[in-house]
Amino acid sequence: MIPAPFDYRRPGSVAEALELLASPGAALLAGGHSLLPLMKLRVVSPDVLVDVGALAELRYVRLDGDTVEIGALTRFCDLVVDPVIREHAPLLARAASSVGDRQVRHRGTIGGSLAHADPAADVPAAVLACGGVVMVHGPDGARRVHTRDFFLGRCRTALGLGEMIVSVRVPRQTHWGFEKFTRRALEWALVGVAVAGESVVLINMGDRPVRAGVTEAALRQGASIEQAAGLAAWNTDPVDEPHASAGFRQHLARVLTRRALQRAAGRVPGGLS
Amino acid sequence: MKVTIEVNGTVTSHDVEDRTLLVHYLRDTLGLTATNVGCDTSACGACTVLLDGESVKSCTILAAQASGHMVVTLEGLAGSELHPVQRAFRERHGSQCGFCTPGMIMAVVSLLRDNPKPDRDEIRLALKGNLCRCTGYQNIVDAVEAAGS
Ligand SMILES: Cc1cc2nc3c(=O)[nH]c(=O)nc-3n(C[C@@H](O)[C@H](O)[C@H](O)COP(=O)(O)OP(=O)(O)OC[C@H]3O[C@@H](n4cnc5c(N)ncnc54)[C@H](O)[C@@H]3O)c2cc1C
Ligand code: FES
Ligand code: FES
């Protein structure tokens, strides 16, 4: 399977990337591990591919007071081993380590994963749970979008035409839990849960990463972890498929939420490997 | 477009279509056919090569993305003797039909670089992106364990 023809461009800076992105039919290419498979299937056929994958200026992790800032081109494998991430945003290291396989993690980036906005993706849910903010550059300058307003639907985001993610800022958060249920090792989450502090986000339980709001409210009002987790599937609308019914997924959401909350509360062992 | 990629220690440079995948550059342009195409959907790992020392699936990378970088394929591993991972696969019968083997070996070389002595669970987890339909994986895990010790 070979993609339809396109012009390949490799900009040397963010400014140049934005310029190229303004041309009709242009698309950004980061790690290419969502985009290239879609292009090979000819689901999408951009006319111009703007390869930002090599922009070293967007590959960094730094601590800025109580905030961890992560360049958009930071790869999953970088998140897994980065000492700042492991200490100050361990949920992101854990979520990144569960993406695909080693080969995929050597290529896929945090910016690409957020922009692709697959509701089954691991890292976007973790960033939302942490209360992350997406830093965007575009034709009209820079703006910041809170992850709570960023995901608009299945593979739909608040990014406008010609805009790109340059970095993600997440508040320090060291109480975390992460659970992912897959049928086979290599697969995406059938259901997953990311917990950071007080916030609980479900993976693949709707058309975007979704906050388990009822569970969060119950916890705030003093419910036990078991009681609160029992409410995790409220207001969720998971897909119903022959191999995993909606009811089964809701069951998984409750069980995985309990485990993730127990992990976050330090009641069960298990850290980063 | 012109791509320039160092492959197995030799700088190669060719005019290719912008949409050329790295695996096709290796197989069709350079004639290095150890790297296989299995699924062509980023799942099986048969096309695994090293890009700047890291395992990647060459069916999911453009030759253009690899331009200016270093690639090692199975052909580039052995010197006058087999690479230790190749030797371990041969001694432990880690290969049957051999289709997955080149990609499997490249994935193992990358794994052992990051984790020189992985235990059996770590080996299985690290190789989840490499499918083998013959061996049942047992002998592959044996081979990696042997190569790591
Ligand atoms: C075999 C396999 C298994 C996988 N398993 C998982 C899994 O278990 N969990 C999981 O979460 N993901 C999984 N993925 C997807 C994943 O790893 C992708 O890499 C990731 O979703 C996209 O990141 P990327 O850098 O590869 O983006 P690309 O594919 O390069 O781009 C994806 C989209 O984002 C846009 N984009 C890229 N960068 C930016 C930016 N900086 N600003 C704005 N737009 C941008 C592109 O234009 C494109 O539309 C898997 C992929 C494969 C191939
Ligand atoms: S051929 Fe590349 S992963 Fe299967
Ligand atoms: S040896 Fe035949 S697929 Fe692995």
Short mmCIF file of all heavy atoms in Angstrom, two decimals, chain A residues 1-8 10 29-33 36-37 40 42 49 51 54 75 77 98 100-107 185-186, chain B residues 1 17-19 21 24 39-43 45 48 51 54-57 59-62 64-67 69 107 110-111 114 126 128-130:
data_model
loop_
_atom_site.label_atom_id
_atom_site.label_comp_id
_atom_site.label_asym_id
_atom_site.label_seq_id
_atom_site.Cartn_x
_atom_site.Cartn_y
_atom_site.Cartn_z
N MET A 1 0.85 -1.19 0.00
CA MET A 1 0.00 0.00 0.00
C MET A 1 0.88 1.24 0.00
O MET A 1 1.75 1.38 0.84
CB MET A 1 -0.87 0.00 1.25
CG MET A 1 -1.86 -1.16 1.27
SD MET A 1 -2.87 -1.10 2.73
CE MET A 1 -1.62 -1.08 4.01
N ILE A 2 0.62 2.10 -0.95
CA ILE A 2 1.47 3.27 -1.13
C ILE A 2 0.58 4.50 -1.10
O ILE A 2 -0.49 4.50 -1.71
CB ILE A 2 2.24 3.15 -2.46
CG1 ILE A 2 3.18 1.92 -2.38
CG2 ILE A 2 3.03 4.41 -2.77
CD1 ILE A 2 3.79 1.54 -3.69
N PRO A 3 0.98 5.54 -0.37
CA PRO A 3 0.13 6.74 -0.32
C PRO A 3 0.00 7.39 -1.69
O PRO A 3 0.84 7.17 -2.57
CB PRO A 3 0.90 7.68 0.62
CG PRO A 3 1.96 6.87 1.26
CD PRO A 3 2.21 5.67 0.41
N ALA A 4 -1.04 8.18 -1.86
CA ALA A 4 -1.18 8.99 -3.08
C ALA A 4 -0.03 10.00 -3.12
O ALA A 4 0.54 10.33 -2.08
CB ALA A 4 -2.53 9.71 -3.06
N PRO A 5 0.31 10.47 -4.32
CA PRO A 5 1.45 11.40 -4.41
C PRO A 5 1.23 12.69 -3.60
O PRO A 5 0.10 13.14 -3.43
CB PRO A 5 1.51 11.74 -5.91
CG PRO A 5 0.77 10.66 -6.59
CD PRO A 5 -0.28 10.19 -5.63
N PHE A 6 2.34 13.23 -3.10
CA PHE A 6 2.30 14.50 -2.36
C PHE A 6 3.67 15.14 -2.48
O PHE A 6 4.63 14.47 -2.89
CB PHE A 6 1.94 14.27 -0.88
CG PHE A 6 2.85 13.28 -0.21
CD1 PHE A 6 4.10 13.64 0.26
CD2 PHE A 6 2.45 11.94 -0.08
CE1 PHE A 6 4.94 12.71 0.86
CE2 PHE A 6 3.30 11.00 0.52
CZ PHE A 6 4.54 11.39 0.98
N ASP A 7 3.74 16.41 -2.11
CA ASP A 7 5.04 17.08 -2.03
C ASP A 7 5.53 17.01 -0.59
O ASP A 7 4.80 17.39 0.32
CB ASP A 7 4.89 18.57 -2.40
CG ASP A 7 4.90 18.76 -3.90
OD1 ASP A 7 5.52 17.92 -4.59
OD2 ASP A 7 4.26 19.72 -4.37
N TYR A 8 6.74 16.54 -0.43
CA TYR A 8 7.33 16.43 0.91
C TYR A 8 8.16 17.67 1.19
O TYR A 8 9.01 18.04 0.40
CB TYR A 8 8.21 15.19 0.98
CG TYR A 8 8.99 15.06 2.27
CD1 TYR A 8 8.44 14.41 3.37
CD2 TYR A 8 10.29 15.56 2.39
CE1 TYR A 8 9.15 14.28 4.55
CE2 TYR A 8 11.01 15.44 3.57
CZ TYR A 8 10.44 14.80 4.64
OH TYR A 8 11.14 14.67 5.81
N ARG A 10 10.41 19.77 4.35
CA ARG A 10 10.97 19.66 5.70
C ARG A 10 11.41 21.04 6.17
O ARG A 10 12.52 21.48 5.87
CB ARG A 10 12.14 18.69 5.72
CG ARG A 10 12.50 18.23 7.13
CD ARG A 10 13.83 17.51 7.15
NE ARG A 10 13.74 16.10 6.80
CZ ARG A 10 14.77 15.25 6.89
NH1 ARG A 10 15.94 15.69 7.31
NH2 ARG A 10 14.63 14.00 6.54
N LEU A 29 3.26 16.48 9.43
CA LEU A 29 3.70 15.11 9.68
C LEU A 29 4.66 15.17 10.87
O LEU A 29 5.65 15.89 10.83
CB LEU A 29 4.43 14.55 8.46
CG LEU A 29 5.04 13.16 8.58
CD1 LEU A 29 3.95 12.10 8.65
CD2 LEU A 29 5.96 12.87 7.40
N ALA A 30 4.33 14.44 11.95
CA ALA A 30 5.25 14.39 13.10
C ALA A 30 5.90 13.01 13.09
O ALA A 30 6.77 12.74 12.28
CB ALA A 30 4.49 14.69 14.38
N GLY A 31 5.44 12.09 13.96
CA GLY A 31 5.98 10.74 13.94
C GLY A 31 5.42 9.93 12.78
O GLY A 31 5.98 8.91 12.39
N GLY A 32 4.28 10.35 12.30
CA GLY A 32 3.67 9.67 11.16
C GLY A 32 2.94 8.37 11.50
O GLY A 32 2.49 7.67 10.61
N HIS A 33 2.83 8.05 12.79
CA HIS A 33 2.27 6.74 13.12
C HIS A 33 0.75 6.73 13.25
O HIS A 33 0.16 5.69 13.53
CB HIS A 33 2.97 6.15 14.33
CG HIS A 33 4.16 5.34 13.88
ND1 HIS A 33 5.08 5.85 12.99
CD2 HIS A 33 4.55 4.07 14.13
CE1 HIS A 33 5.99 4.92 12.73
NE2 HIS A 33 5.69 3.83 13.41
N LEU A 36 0.55 8.31 8.49
CA LEU A 36 0.99 7.48 7.35
C LEU A 36 0.11 6.25 7.14
O LEU A 36 -0.24 5.95 6.00
CB LEU A 36 2.47 7.11 7.48
CG LEU A 36 3.45 8.28 7.29
CD1 LEU A 36 4.89 7.84 7.53
CD2 LEU A 36 3.32 8.89 5.89
N PRO A 37 -0.29 5.53 8.21
CA PRO A 37 -1.22 4.41 7.98
C PRO A 37 -2.51 4.87 7.28
O PRO A 37 -3.01 4.19 6.39
CB PRO A 37 -1.50 3.87 9.38
CG PRO A 37 -0.28 4.22 10.16
CD PRO A 37 0.18 5.55 9.61
N LYS A 40 -1.67 5.53 3.68
CA LYS A 40 -1.48 4.30 2.91
C LYS A 40 -2.82 3.68 2.54
O LYS A 40 -2.98 3.10 1.48
CB LYS A 40 -0.62 3.32 3.72
CG LYS A 40 0.85 3.75 3.79
CD LYS A 40 1.66 2.91 4.76
CE LYS A 40 1.85 1.50 4.25
NZ LYS A 40 2.68 0.71 5.20
N ARG A 42 -5.29 5.44 1.99
CA ARG A 42 -5.91 6.53 1.20
C ARG A 42 -7.19 7.05 1.84
O ARG A 42 -8.11 7.50 1.17
CB ARG A 42 -6.16 6.08 -0.24
CG ARG A 42 -4.90 5.45 -0.85
CD ARG A 42 -4.43 6.16 -2.05
NE ARG A 42 -3.17 5.58 -2.52
CZ ARG A 42 -2.74 5.69 -3.77
NH1 ARG A 42 -3.43 6.33 -4.66
NH2 ARG A 42 -1.58 5.16 -4.10
N LEU A 49 3.06 17.48 2.46
CA LEU A 49 3.35 16.99 3.81
C LEU A 49 4.45 17.85 4.40
O LEU A 49 5.55 17.91 3.86
CB LEU A 49 3.83 15.54 3.77
CG LEU A 49 2.82 14.43 4.01
CD1 LEU A 49 3.57 13.13 4.30
CD2 LEU A 49 1.89 14.77 5.16
N ASP A 51 6.88 18.04 7.14
CA ASP A 51 7.49 17.15 8.13
C ASP A 51 8.20 17.95 9.22
O ASP A 51 9.30 18.44 9.01
CB ASP A 51 8.48 16.21 7.43
CG ASP A 51 9.14 15.26 8.41
OD1 ASP A 51 8.71 15.21 9.58
OD2 ASP A 51 10.09 14.55 7.99
N ALA A 54 11.68 16.53 12.49
CA ALA A 54 13.09 16.77 12.80
C ALA A 54 13.33 18.10 13.51
O ALA A 54 14.48 18.48 13.74
CB ALA A 54 13.91 16.71 11.51
N ARG A 75 8.83 12.42 21.89
CA ARG A 75 8.27 11.12 21.52
C ARG A 75 7.83 10.34 22.77
O ARG A 75 8.27 10.62 23.88
CB ARG A 75 9.31 10.31 20.74
CG ARG A 75 9.78 11.00 19.47
CD ARG A 75 10.97 10.27 18.88
NE ARG A 75 12.07 10.16 19.85
CZ ARG A 75 13.11 9.36 19.70
NH1 ARG A 75 13.22 8.58 18.65
NH2 ARG A 75 14.05 9.32 20.63
N CYS A 77 8.77 7.42 23.63
CA CYS A 77 9.92 6.79 24.28
C CYS A 77 10.70 7.79 25.13
O CYS A 77 11.32 7.42 26.12
CB CYS A 77 10.83 6.10 23.25
SG CYS A 77 11.56 7.23 22.07
N SER A 98 2.55 2.62 27.63
CA SER A 98 1.55 1.64 27.22
C SER A 98 1.12 1.82 25.76
O SER A 98 0.30 1.08 25.24
CB SER A 98 0.31 1.73 28.12
OG SER A 98 -0.50 2.81 27.73
N GLY A 100 1.19 1.30 21.99
CA GLY A 100 1.70 0.40 20.94
C GLY A 100 2.84 -0.49 21.41
O GLY A 100 2.74 -1.18 22.42
N ASP A 101 3.94 -0.43 20.68
CA ASP A 101 5.11 -1.24 21.00
C ASP A 101 6.34 -0.35 20.95
O ASP A 101 6.23 0.85 20.69
CB ASP A 101 5.23 -2.41 20.00
CG ASP A 101 5.17 -1.91 18.56
OD1 ASP A 101 5.91 -0.97 18.21
OD2 ASP A 101 4.35 -2.43 17.76
N ARG A 102 7.52 -0.92 21.16
CA ARG A 102 8.74 -0.11 21.18
C ARG A 102 8.95 0.66 19.88
O ARG A 102 9.30 1.83 19.89
CB ARG A 102 9.97 -1.02 21.42
CG ARG A 102 10.19 -1.39 22.88
CD ARG A 102 11.26 -2.46 23.03
NE ARG A 102 12.52 -2.09 22.38
CZ ARG A 102 13.47 -1.34 22.96
NH1 ARG A 102 13.30 -0.89 24.19
NH2 ARG A 102 14.57 -1.06 22.32
N GLN A 103 8.68 -0.01 18.76
CA GLN A 103 8.89 0.65 17.47
C GLN A 103 7.98 1.87 17.34
O GLN A 103 8.39 2.93 16.88
CB GLN A 103 8.60 -0.33 16.32
CG GLN A 103 9.64 -1.44 16.13
CD GLN A 103 9.25 -2.72 16.85
OE1 GLN A 103 8.75 -2.68 17.97
NE2 GLN A 103 9.47 -3.85 16.21
N VAL A 104 6.72 1.71 17.75
CA VAL A 104 5.75 2.82 17.67
C VAL A 104 6.19 3.95 18.61
O VAL A 104 6.15 5.13 18.24
CB VAL A 104 4.34 2.32 18.05
CG1 VAL A 104 3.36 3.49 18.19
CG2 VAL A 104 3.82 1.33 17.02
N ARG A 105 6.66 3.59 19.79
CA ARG A 105 7.06 4.61 20.77
C ARG A 105 8.32 5.36 20.34
O ARG A 105 8.57 6.47 20.78
CB ARG A 105 7.25 3.99 22.15
CG ARG A 105 5.95 3.43 22.73
CD ARG A 105 6.07 3.14 24.21
NE ARG A 105 7.00 2.07 24.52
CZ ARG A 105 6.70 0.77 24.54
NH1 ARG A 105 5.47 0.37 24.24
NH2 ARG A 105 7.61 -0.13 24.84
N HIS A 106 9.13 4.71 19.49
CA HIS A 106 10.31 5.41 18.96
C HIS A 106 9.93 6.51 17.97
O HIS A 106 10.77 7.31 17.57
CB HIS A 106 11.26 4.42 18.26
CG HIS A 106 12.05 3.58 19.23
ND1 HIS A 106 12.40 2.27 18.98
CD2 HIS A 106 12.54 3.86 20.46
CE1 HIS A 106 13.10 1.79 19.99
NE2 HIS A 106 13.20 2.73 20.92
N ARG A 107 8.70 6.50 17.47
CA ARG A 107 8.29 7.47 16.44
C ARG A 107 7.20 8.43 16.91
O ARG A 107 7.24 9.62 16.59
CB ARG A 107 7.79 6.73 15.19
CG ARG A 107 8.82 5.89 14.48
CD ARG A 107 9.98 6.68 13.94
NE ARG A 107 9.63 7.62 12.90
CZ ARG A 107 10.44 8.54 12.41
NH1 ARG A 107 11.66 8.66 12.89
NH2 ARG A 107 10.05 9.36 11.47
N ALA A 185 -1.88 -8.10 23.43
CA ALA A 185 -0.84 -7.18 23.92
C ALA A 185 -0.72 -5.92 23.08
O ALA A 185 -0.61 -4.82 23.61
CB ALA A 185 0.49 -7.91 23.97
N LEU A 186 -0.74 -6.06 21.76
CA LEU A 186 -0.41 -4.92 20.91
C LEU A 186 -1.54 -3.91 20.78
O LEU A 186 -1.37 -2.84 20.22
CB LEU A 186 -0.01 -5.42 19.51
CG LEU A 186 0.37 -4.36 18.47
CD1 LEU A 186 1.56 -3.55 18.95
CD2 LEU A 186 0.67 -4.99 17.13
N MET B 1 12.31 13.47 -5.42
CA MET B 1 13.25 14.17 -4.57
C MET B 1 14.49 13.31 -4.35
O MET B 1 14.45 12.10 -4.51
CB MET B 1 12.59 14.50 -3.22
CG MET B 1 12.30 13.29 -2.36
SD MET B 1 11.67 13.71 -0.73
CE MET B 1 13.08 14.52 0.02
N GLU B 17 10.44 8.98 -5.59
CA GLU B 17 9.19 9.72 -5.41
C GLU B 17 9.08 10.12 -3.95
O GLU B 17 9.48 9.36 -3.05
CB GLU B 17 8.00 8.83 -5.75
CG GLU B 17 7.60 8.83 -7.21
CD GLU B 17 6.24 8.17 -7.38
OE1 GLU B 17 5.21 8.87 -7.21
OE2 GLU B 17 6.21 6.97 -7.66
N ASP B 18 8.50 11.28 -3.69
CA ASP B 18 8.36 11.76 -2.31
C ASP B 18 7.64 10.74 -1.43
O ASP B 18 7.88 10.64 -0.24
CB ASP B 18 7.55 13.08 -2.28
CG ASP B 18 8.33 14.23 -2.91
OD1 ASP B 18 9.28 13.96 -3.68
OD2 ASP B 18 7.99 15.39 -2.65
N ARG B 19 6.71 9.99 -2.04
CA ARG B 19 5.89 9.07 -1.24
C ARG B 19 6.55 7.71 -1.01
O ARG B 19 5.92 6.81 -0.45
CB ARG B 19 4.55 8.87 -1.93
CG ARG B 19 4.68 8.29 -3.33
CD ARG B 19 3.32 8.06 -3.92
NE ARG B 19 3.39 7.74 -5.34
CZ ARG B 19 2.38 7.22 -6.00
NH1 ARG B 19 1.25 6.96 -5.39
NH2 ARG B 19 2.50 6.95 -7.29
N LEU B 21 8.18 4.69 0.59
CA LEU B 21 8.35 4.24 1.97
C LEU B 21 9.77 3.72 2.16
O LEU B 21 10.38 3.20 1.22
CB LEU B 21 7.34 3.13 2.30
CG LEU B 21 5.88 3.57 2.20
CD1 LEU B 21 4.95 2.36 2.23
CD2 LEU B 21 5.53 4.53 3.34
N HIS B 24 10.52 0.25 0.94
CA HIS B 24 10.65 0.08 -0.51
C HIS B 24 11.97 0.65 -1.01
O HIS B 24 12.57 0.14 -1.96
CB HIS B 24 9.46 0.74 -1.23
CG HIS B 24 8.16 0.05 -0.92
ND1 HIS B 24 6.98 0.71 -0.67
CD2 HIS B 24 7.89 -1.27 -0.77
CE1 HIS B 24 6.04 -0.19 -0.40
NE2 HIS B 24 6.56 -1.38 -0.45
N CYS B 39 2.60 -7.25 7.11
CA CYS B 39 1.22 -6.77 7.15
C CYS B 39 1.02 -5.51 6.32
O CYS B 39 -0.06 -5.25 5.81
CB CYS B 39 0.84 -6.47 8.59
SG CYS B 39 1.83 -5.13 9.31
N ASP B 40 2.06 -4.71 6.20
CA ASP B 40 1.97 -3.39 5.57
C ASP B 40 0.99 -2.47 6.30
O ASP B 40 0.50 -1.51 5.73
CB ASP B 40 1.58 -3.54 4.09
CG ASP B 40 2.17 -2.41 3.24
OD1 ASP B 40 2.89 -1.55 3.80
OD2 ASP B 40 1.90 -2.38 2.03
N THR B 41 0.65 -2.79 7.55
CA THR B 41 -0.27 -1.93 8.33
C THR B 41 0.32 -1.58 9.70
O THR B 41 -0.42 -1.35 10.65
CB THR B 41 -1.64 -2.60 8.53
OG1 THR B 41 -1.42 -3.84 9.21
CG2 THR B 41 -2.35 -2.85 7.22
N SER B 42 1.63 -1.59 9.82
CA SER B 42 2.32 -1.16 11.05
C SER B 42 2.16 -2.11 12.23
O SER B 42 2.46 -1.74 13.35
CB SER B 42 1.88 0.24 11.50
OG SER B 42 1.56 1.06 10.41
N ALA B 43 1.68 -3.32 11.98
CA ALA B 43 1.36 -4.19 13.11
C ALA B 43 2.37 -5.32 13.35
O ALA B 43 2.59 -5.70 14.49
CB ALA B 43 -0.04 -4.78 12.92
N GLY B 45 5.79 -5.98 12.46
CA GLY B 45 7.19 -5.83 12.80
C GLY B 45 8.18 -6.50 11.86
O GLY B 45 9.39 -6.40 12.06
N THR B 48 11.01 -4.29 10.57
CA THR B 48 11.78 -3.52 11.55
C THR B 48 13.24 -3.35 11.13
O THR B 48 13.91 -4.31 10.76
CB THR B 48 11.72 -4.21 12.94
OG1 THR B 48 10.35 -4.30 13.33
CG2 THR B 48 12.52 -3.44 13.98
N LEU B 51 16.81 2.86 12.98
CA LEU B 51 16.98 4.22 12.48
C LEU B 51 17.70 4.98 13.59
O LEU B 51 17.18 5.09 14.71
CB LEU B 51 15.60 4.83 12.18
CG LEU B 51 15.57 6.29 11.70
CD1 LEU B 51 16.26 6.42 10.35
CD2 LEU B 51 14.13 6.79 11.60
N GLU B 54 17.65 3.02 16.73
CA GLU B 54 16.40 2.65 17.38
C GLU B 54 15.52 1.83 16.44
O GLU B 54 15.43 2.14 15.25
CB GLU B 54 15.62 3.91 17.80
CG GLU B 54 16.33 4.73 18.86
CD GLU B 54 15.65 6.07 19.12
OE1 GLU B 54 15.03 6.62 18.18
OE2 GLU B 54 15.74 6.57 20.25
N SER B 55 14.82 0.83 17.00
CA SER B 55 13.97 -0.01 16.16
C SER B 55 12.77 0.79 15.67
O SER B 55 12.14 1.53 16.44
CB SER B 55 13.49 -1.23 16.95
OG SER B 55 12.81 -0.81 18.12
N VAL B 56 12.47 0.67 14.38
CA VAL B 56 11.31 1.33 13.79
C VAL B 56 10.73 0.42 12.71
O VAL B 56 11.41 -0.47 12.21
CB VAL B 56 11.67 2.70 13.15
CG1 VAL B 56 12.18 3.68 14.20
CG2 VAL B 56 12.71 2.52 12.04
N LYS B 57 9.46 0.67 12.38
CA LYS B 57 8.81 -0.12 11.33
C LYS B 57 8.95 0.62 10.01
O LYS B 57 8.34 1.68 9.81
CB LYS B 57 7.35 -0.35 11.71
CG LYS B 57 7.23 -1.25 12.93
CD LYS B 57 5.81 -1.43 13.42
CE LYS B 57 5.79 -2.43 14.57
NZ LYS B 57 4.47 -2.56 15.19
N CYS B 59 7.84 0.20 7.15
CA CYS B 59 6.66 0.36 6.29
C CYS B 59 5.86 1.59 6.71
O CYS B 59 4.89 1.95 6.06
CB CYS B 59 5.76 -0.87 6.35
SG CYS B 59 4.83 -1.02 7.90
N THR B 60 6.24 2.22 7.82
CA THR B 60 5.48 3.35 8.35
C THR B 60 6.38 4.57 8.49
O THR B 60 6.21 5.40 9.37
CB THR B 60 4.82 2.94 9.69
OG1 THR B 60 4.23 1.65 9.51
CG2 THR B 60 3.72 3.90 10.11
N ILE B 61 7.41 4.62 7.64
CA ILE B 61 8.32 5.77 7.60
C ILE B 61 8.60 6.06 6.13
O ILE B 61 8.78 5.13 5.34
CB ILE B 61 9.65 5.43 8.30
CG1 ILE B 61 9.38 5.14 9.77
CG2 ILE B 61 10.67 6.55 8.14
CD1 ILE B 61 10.62 4.99 10.58
N LEU B 62 8.62 7.31 5.77
CA LEU B 62 8.99 7.68 4.41
C LEU B 62 10.51 7.65 4.29
O LEU B 62 11.22 8.01 5.24
CB LEU B 62 8.49 9.09 4.09
CG LEU B 62 6.98 9.31 4.18
CD1 LEU B 62 6.66 10.80 4.08
CD2 LEU B 62 6.26 8.53 3.08
N ALA B 64 11.99 9.76 2.76
CA ALA B 64 12.32 11.18 2.94
C ALA B 64 12.56 11.51 4.42
O ALA B 64 13.43 12.31 4.75
CB ALA B 64 11.19 12.04 2.39
N GLN B 65 11.77 10.89 5.31
CA GLN B 65 11.96 11.16 6.74
C GLN B 65 13.31 10.65 7.23
O GLN B 65 13.87 11.17 8.19
CB GLN B 65 10.85 10.49 7.58
CG GLN B 65 9.48 11.15 7.46
CD GLN B 65 8.45 10.34 8.22
OE1 GLN B 65 8.06 9.25 7.79
NE2 GLN B 65 8.01 10.83 9.37
N ALA B 66 13.79 9.58 6.59
CA ALA B 66 15.06 8.99 7.01
C ALA B 66 16.26 9.68 6.36
O ALA B 66 17.41 9.39 6.70
CB ALA B 66 15.08 7.50 6.69
N SER B 67 15.98 10.59 5.43
CA SER B 67 17.08 11.26 4.73
C SER B 67 17.92 12.05 5.73
O SER B 67 17.40 12.76 6.59
CB SER B 67 16.52 12.20 3.65
OG SER B 67 17.56 12.63 2.81
N HIS B 69 19.77 10.53 7.87
CA HIS B 69 19.90 9.68 9.05
C HIS B 69 20.59 8.35 8.69
O HIS B 69 20.91 8.10 7.55
CB HIS B 69 18.53 9.43 9.68
CG HIS B 69 17.91 10.68 10.21
ND1 HIS B 69 18.05 11.09 11.51
CD2 HIS B 69 17.16 11.63 9.60
CE1 HIS B 69 17.41 12.24 11.69
NE2 HIS B 69 16.85 12.59 10.54
N ALA B 107 14.70 -5.89 16.16
CA ALA B 107 14.00 -5.44 17.37
C ALA B 107 14.77 -5.87 18.61
O ALA B 107 14.85 -5.14 19.60
CB ALA B 107 12.58 -5.99 17.39
N SER B 110 17.87 -3.73 19.22
CA SER B 110 17.48 -2.46 19.84
C SER B 110 17.14 -2.66 21.32
O SER B 110 17.54 -1.88 22.18
CB SER B 110 16.29 -1.87 19.08
OG SER B 110 15.60 -0.93 19.86
N LEU B 111 16.41 -3.72 21.62
CA LEU B 111 16.04 -3.99 23.01
C LEU B 111 17.29 -4.17 23.88
O LEU B 111 17.40 -3.57 24.96
CB LEU B 111 15.17 -5.27 23.09
CG LEU B 111 15.03 -5.88 24.49
CD1 LEU B 111 14.29 -4.93 25.42
CD2 LEU B 111 14.34 -7.24 24.43
N ASP B 114 19.06 -1.11 25.03
CA ASP B 114 18.43 -0.38 26.14
C ASP B 114 18.42 -1.19 27.43
O ASP B 114 18.42 -0.64 28.53
CB ASP B 114 16.98 -0.04 25.80
CG ASP B 114 16.88 1.05 24.73
OD1 ASP B 114 17.93 1.66 24.45
OD2 ASP B 114 15.79 1.26 24.19
N ALA B 126 8.61 -6.49 25.28
CA ALA B 126 9.37 -5.63 24.35
C ALA B 126 9.21 -6.08 22.90
O ALA B 126 9.42 -5.29 21.99
CB ALA B 126 10.85 -5.64 24.74
N LYS B 128 6.35 -7.23 21.61
CA LYS B 128 4.94 -7.40 21.25
C LYS B 128 4.61 -6.83 19.89
O LYS B 128 3.60 -7.19 19.29
CB LYS B 128 4.03 -6.84 22.33
CG LYS B 128 4.01 -5.33 22.47
CD LYS B 128 3.01 -4.95 23.55
CE LYS B 128 3.06 -3.47 23.85
NZ LYS B 128 2.07 -3.07 24.85
N GLY B 129 5.48 -6.00 19.36
CA GLY B 129 5.26 -5.46 18.02
C GLY B 129 5.85 -6.33 16.92
O GLY B 129 5.90 -5.91 15.76
N ASN B 130 6.31 -7.52 17.26
CA ASN B 130 6.87 -8.44 16.26
C ASN B 130 6.12 -9.76 16.32
O ASN B 130 6.23 -10.51 17.29
CB ASN B 130 8.36 -8.68 16.53
CG ASN B 130 9.18 -7.43 16.27
OD1 ASN B 130 9.22 -6.52 17.12
ND2 ASN B 130 9.78 -7.34 15.12
#
